[in-house]
Amino acid sequence: MNEVTPTPELEAFDYKSDVNPVWCPGCGDYAVLSAITKALAELRLARENVAVISGIGCSSRIPAYTSVYGFHGIHGRALPIAQGLKLARPDVTVLCAGGDGDGFSIGGNHFMHACRRNIDLTYIVMDNTVYGMTKGQASPTTEADWRESKLTPEGPGVPPFQPLDIALAAGASHVVRAFSGRVQMLTKYIVEAIQHPGFSFIQVISPCVTYRPEMRALKTRVHDGFAETSTNRLEARRRLLDDDGYSLGVLFKSVEPSYKPCATSDEAVADLERQFVL
Amino acid sequence: MNEVTPTPELEAFDYKSDVNPVWCPGCGDYAVLSAITKALAELRLARENVAVISGIGCSSRIPAYTSVYGFHGIHGRALPIAQGLKLARPDVTVLCAGGDGDGFSIGGNHFMHACRRNIDLTYIVMDNTVYGMTKGQASPTTEADWRESKLTPEGPGVPPFQPLDIALAAGASHVVRAFSGRVQMLTKYIVEAIQHPGFSFIQVISPCVTYRPEMRALKTRVHDGFAETSTNRLEARRRLLDDDGYSLGVLFKSVEPSYKPCATSDEAVADLERQFVL
Amino acid sequence: MNSMELFLAHALRLEEDSAINYDEMADALEVHHKGEVSRLFRKMAHYSRLHLAEVERRAAGLSLPRLKAWEYQWPGDDSPENAPAGEADYAMNEHDALILALKGEQGALAFYASVAEASSDAAVAALAKEFVAEESEHVALLEERLAKTPDTGPEHDPDPPVAAG
Amino acid sequence: MTEHLLSLALTGSGGAGVMTVGQILLDAAAHAGWYGLMRRSLGPQIRGGESAALMRFGSRPILSHGDTFDVLFAFDWGNITRFAAELPLRSDSVVLYDPDAGEVPEVIARSNARCVAVPLTATVKSEPGLRANMIGLGLAAHILRLTPADLQPLLADFLGDKGEEALALSLRGIELGAGLADALPASTWPVCPRPAKSEKPRWSITGNEAAGLGAVKGGVRFVAAYPITPSTEILEWLAPNLARLGGQLVQAEDELASINMLVGASYGGVPSLTATSGPGLSLMIEGLGMSVGAEIPVTVIDVQRGGPSTGIPTKSEQSDFNIAVYGLHGDAPHIVVAATSIPDCMPTVQWAVSAAEAAQCPAIVLSDQNMGQSRAIIDPPAEGGPVAARRLAAPEDGTPYLRYALTNDGVSPMAVPGIAGGEYTADGLAHNERGTPSTQAADHQSQLDKRQRKLETLDCANFWAELEGDGPIAVIALGSLTEPAREAVRAANGAARLIGLRVVLPLQAEAMAKALAGATKVLVVEQNHSAQFHHFLRGHYDLPPVVDSLHRAGPLPLRPLEILAAINALKGDA
Amino acid sequence: MTEHLLSLALTGSGGAGVMTVGQILLDAAAHAGWYGLMRRSLGPQIRGGESAALMRFGSRPILSHGDTFDVLFAFDWGNITRFAAELPLRSDSVVLYDPDAGEVPEVIARSNARCVAVPLTATVKSEPGLRANMIGLGLAAHILRLTPADLQPLLADFLGDKGEEALALSLRGIELGAGLADALPASTWPVCPRPAKSEKPRWSITGNEAAGLGAVKGGVRFVAAYPITPSTEILEWLAPNLARLGGQLVQAEDELASINMLVGASYGGVPSLTATSGPGLSLMIEGLGMSVGAEIPVTVIDVQRGGPSTGIPTKSEQSDFNIAVYGLHGDAPHIVVAATSIPDCMPTVQWAVSAAEAAQCPAIVLSDQNMGQSRAIIDPPAEGGPVAARRLAAPEDGTPYLRYALTNDGVSPMAVPGIAGGEYTADGLAHNERGTPSTQAADHQSQLDKRQRKLETLDCANFWAELEGDGPIAVIALGSLTEPAREAVRAANGAARLIGLRVVLPLQAEAMAKALAGATKVLVVEQNHSAQFHHFLRGHYDLPPVVDSLHRAGPLPLRPLEILAAINALKGDA
Ligand SMILES: Cc1ncc(C[n+]2csc(CCOP(=O)(O)OP(=O)(O)O)c2C)c(N)n1
Ligand SMILES: Cc1ncc(C[n+]2csc(CCOP(=O)(O)OP(=O)(O)O)c2C)c(N)n1
Ligand code: SF4
Ligand code: SF4
Ligand SMILES: [Mg+2]
Ligand SMILES: [Mg+2]
């Protein structure tokens, strides 16, 4: 606040590309895009050193709307792509982003194992409790009795997936819930997540105005239930026990060992050949 | 105990097939096979009305060693096969069985979603904290610093997967830990699991004497930490917070709605055609 | 808000955010063939840019503090002139768009007014008052136009949304 | 009786509602006695992107699109360049456009088609509450000599619960539109008399709906699926309709789960099916291999879209041919069929299910976006193909049940849970007759032989292909290209014959040889970039010495005249 | 110089330790100057099943197995019927057996080979602490004229930290075994003089190790993988060796993760590879398609085993040809190469990696269990194939970077994170030159063309095939069948020529035409049930009019004499 810092080189705007989003007007994902670009500006990251990796879905279209490196991958595989990139190029700031279908349904296994591996990257799930891109089917976070999809006319019939709880149980080291309607807060969380040396997971409640129009009303339901951060995993899990699903904040944060590849050295290939010589 | 029940028609032995297991002498899976056949005998289930479904791995060889219907499927997909069968044939008693690699690594997503769906079947994972069949690589339940596999010479470097915790977080309605060295207890748990109207998960610590010979010593480490059963999911999760991984017992049990397909009726196909008539 | 630097940093952020926000809505509604609505948002973006240029002029020579995105002392969570996130709608008519824009301008007005009233720095208060005047003009213009624009009801696209994945 | 055919394209950008206009028009035309077809072409936006309704009407059944459009009615010009390639016009075509939407763009104007301004926007503004699409509907209806009275009965359905006033406004719009049409000189309109009203009931159906119907007719009562464009409508149709039959649809967590759930359900004796598109099929490959090895029937409908990878989800192509035919690892004989038209999706899926059941192996049905998401007015489709059922085991006491018995026709009677004495363990490992894993060459060989044999003995009767004509040039068309190829063959006046291949696997060596008898040249027609079908035919069939290939990637459809041109070029060839 | 070749099979059931005996023997023979080859055949048990070491020794380099065994040394007869088919004997072969293990079984006796009893068990019992395998080793060594002195230096290595006493006991066993051999008449043994000791260093390597070495030589520094038989040894070799080079191997949760991790790492600029087998490859199909569409190079080694489905994990087959070539959905041009021998796994993988990098697409390397898990004594392999690198972008200020620029050779310079000005979004959706998603036909077509073009312009030089001879019958052998086919071609005395195909895709039309010039007949040789390679060649190449196919499913290898017989049969043909 008091410090006078030099004028930043890049503004949030500079992290946006000139590609027009395919998103519906009012879609929560616009705000997530905005928060990501603001966070990048905040951290003054050089565009060429940042990569945003996604899967397939409305939300997963986000990389092309930024001006950093991007990868719009395949459905459900954003995290493996992102982890491969980060392992091979630890110097790159890696963000991974996508939808609740992409991340918790088809991509659920990678989600669990990425939480365990704790590789230093930030995973942002735009949770709209629906499959937007394929016309509104139930996702894992959809209520059991939601009857709007023709595919599940009686409702999906399965209790909603609990992303934060699974993330904690699986070992994520930085666990956040945010709301697309609170861009400034989200920006802060993204900055902290990028700074966190390990796997950060941010569930962003991001309304799908087309298939879940009732989500527009969520802005009055969200609250700062996680305003205080636990640094103890068990304590964080206890707090989840009486969460209504709309508490926002950094629920848990703890610096834990991140997956590191074997110690490296730099012999030459010719050195390896010796082992085959009789 | 006090009641005199009529002699059952089939003995445990009758539920064993004449196929010789490929297992190593001393492998924990023999005891699991024994417990399954005893449980089936206990329940007096007709052989033709029981099916044991598995994936691929040493443990997954189990179906062919029983004399009921079996399916030795593909690696990681035992649960979808089992769920498909149970949904299509609710009259059949379905057991699903396999290894920790099969169930928690490649099959992890199905595990989470099967817990959520809560379809009435029993899932037995023979957890030997290793990939037996492929010669001893680390599995998700392997310790981070286990250095015996050439594939991960410095150890897998990732904290072990917590099967019970994930099962609870994902919604399983009957959650048990057992030990292959306690066949009688395991038999009882399997009987209860089969009787439970929903998804039952049994983690059976089952030593791999070939690749984890130190597991033989576990018989002195296991204890009855879960001797009492919670019927409250939150309470069960609290109890897991100070579990050492060797507590045995039925940790959680609760009768919760199980996934049911849409209400059915029995019109004829010709009735459906009418909707296309102009 | 007791220093000119701090105040101008806020004003800069507010106007820039709002310009981007209006442009984004204009783009989105162009796709929906909502010419009037899109033009309105485009115009609002233009006003914000004019205002931004003015703020920049005032800031010339000063060294403004670099605030973190969440360190701005907004009354609410977000930049006050931004139209409330998520309220844009493909079926919105000109009337709806005016209401949305009005909410944004009123937000800015309220912010500047609060500074004008609360700042202990006279220069800041004076400048904030100037901005209040400008924003009031926008508000009045929008109100006027709103009064002349009947609510014709949502313009639903009779075609269903596309499954694109 | 003279045939009348008319092609009409309606285009407009977000909110113009051209798809709805097209839909109402198709219905109204159908009630008036027209057969018809409506394809859609959409932009990439979830909502509000540009869209086109590409329609064809005829006094006889029509199952393919024509070469050019007689009439293009542009509600506006938004992003028309993205569509232009899909809108071939002739110099005698008519372009109706709204002068308030701007000049006729160069991409359209260069066709030299007659451009006729119709004051759409002006009319909308003439009275409060009017909507352009209803005015357009009134105007477009005139092209087919339909009046507001023909449209009125359908409006209520489309407007749903929007109320009386909306209905009245819509009717008013339609009338104004009709008025606009009347105001134009009669010479504006192509000759297009109303056909006689049909006696027999007709159906309005999409390829995806027909596929769903075929599934339940084939006996499918279990579906597990994961949504993917452009196959989702099959699932959306099946979910409520299966329930009506006592069956069920489960939304799975992914395609790996769905294919394996099918295997489980089918192992339990219930015929099972799923629908997907290329990316989903890719994920089902391993499960399909198990279905081969463990001999559990399942059916997968692949509604093809542009590839590779995520490709073009909303547009058509036939480029999953290779993966469907060759995609499984190991030697994995299975069934592949390609539906030949929208109505044919019904019998083809039905046959595929029954063939899978009979042969205890997977069947893959190739459909495509173009068939799946297009709607046709048709005569109720006939059932096709010989129907068979799964051969169940009746194990006898004392003799051990051999699940994978080496039978003459390769089909081993199958036990399912509930059948006492049939207890066995299904296995994807190589196994002996009993099912016990075996690594011995003799067991492996005899089971491979058996699995091949059951496909060779599978009865396809005349269902393997659509045949027509006996000219010296054989046009072998893949699936949905059968109907455009048929038009071309007919236009070739005896120079060509049609082989619209429906059963891709098992190979039909004898039938093909018969169908090719006397043909001296072959033209292979398919919609993909690398001529996958052509190479398949070369690799597996004995073809006449001259073989030409007409292939192009999607999304532009292959049109009858192109095929005819290729036939003529071949005719010219030495 | 006369060539000496000797085939020896060692068999025994659980605990007999025949694999170790074989291994020591191979090493000792190599030190003595022999080239050699050792294949293993195992039962299904995790531990203790029957096993066989199938060996061949030669005074010249040998890369394939012979037709029959000169000597079969059976430590016992446990489960010999399961192996018998893999142990062809001649009437002048020698069978050494332990009379205490029972009669010579019928499956062996019917060969009429000379059966010679050697009192293995009796000798074991003669002194305390002896082990049968060491006695067997001493005896078997004699066949190659090796003495206990030749074996002694190797023992320490094998016994590890078992101590002095164990070493002494082993040596004693070996001496007793040598004594048993000496006691037999000299006529027992095939003529097999010790070759001259080699001047140049030789290597002892398995196909899987050679593949690993090829990977790092090709520049691979990132591997993500999921274990699967019979490919795991590649990964086990790579894990520690990559670390020595500053690279890394990650064990992924499944094959979906591993292929997609590769894509991520390679997008980051690091050449990436994985190894798997059929079931794993099935799961990688979707990721490979993305690698095609987004143009990110990755290399996958498929060590083939018996299929379909889980099949026969421990045995060899070449039945993943189809999935490797045709398995991707959509039109998805990529690279497929087949290693032709154990040492060739090195240059072939190396070239595949470099070709993938050059063409920015996936490369699939076909190996098989037989090559992968067999060990050979070889001259250090030469590097093969032209080496290329990824073309990186050097974006210029002011000009927007076009990731998918339409270049002449189809290769678009690629930016990777860290290159300023190169920021782009990689996409598996159809896209324009910049990478922005597009559904337009023109963009789709031009990118499909481009992706095809870069493969057509890929330089394979002479690496595409192994050629030898110029006889009228062209034997086209797939990958690992090259060496047996070479033996057959040589034995055919000018009647045949060899085309051992290494580069399956991209097609090599010109080179193949040249290689076939003057050939009148073709014999296609492959190890699978449905002649996949044969149909591929028919479908994509212009072959001489007479084409015959020699194919058989695994696990029995195709042997030189069989191939020769097929050549001779073709020779006889009109
Ligand atoms: C393998 C595969 N299966 C299915 C699809 C179809 N598909 C595309 S996006 C999507 C779901 C999108 O839902 P979500 O991830 O929640 O994103 P949203 O659109 O809601 O932002 C599906 C099922 C696909 N592209 N690939
Ligand atoms: C798709 C696929 N990937 C890999 C394999 C190889 N594979 C077979 S079993 C196995 C792991 C077995 O471990 P686990 O499930 O723990 O069973 P265990 O052998 O320890 O009982 C693996 C990786 C396979 N068969 N299929
Ligand atoms: S469909 Fe929903 S999630 Fe997709 S862009 Fe529209 S509002 Fe957003
Ligand atoms: S390897 Fe381990 S898990 Fe497998 S059979 Fe042997 S002891 Fe059991
Ligand atoms: Mg979603
Ligand atoms: Mg295990």
Side-chain angles (χ1 to χ4, degrees), chain E residues 299-320:
Chain E
T299 302
V300 176
I301 306 174
D302 174 11
V303 186
Q304 298 166 93
R305 60 195 219 180
S309 197
T310 313
I312 314 185
T314 54
K315 307 260 174 178
S316 209
E317 202 164 76
Q318 291 185 321
S319 55
D320 294 350

Side-chain angles (χ1 to χ4, degrees), chain E residues 18 310 420 522 551 571:
Chain E
V18 294
T310 313
V522 163
H551 62 276
K571 219 162 43 175

Side-chain angles (χ1 to χ4, degrees), chain B residues 264-278:
Chain B
T264 62
S265 80
D266 51 354
E267 296 181 64
V269 172
D271 300 331
L272 307 188
E273 292 183 354
R274 275 198 287 273
Q275 62 196 287
F276 300 116
V277 179
L278 271 170

Side-chain angles (χ1 to χ4, degrees), chain A residues 56 58-59 75 99-102 128 130-134, chain C residues 165, chain D residues 227 255, chain E residues 286:
Chain A
I56 297 290
C58 294
S59 40
H75 191 41
D100 42 328
D102 195 75
N128 57 6
V130 79
Y131 288 3
M133 180 132 275
T134 47
Chain D
E255 287 88 349
Chain E
E286 198 200 7

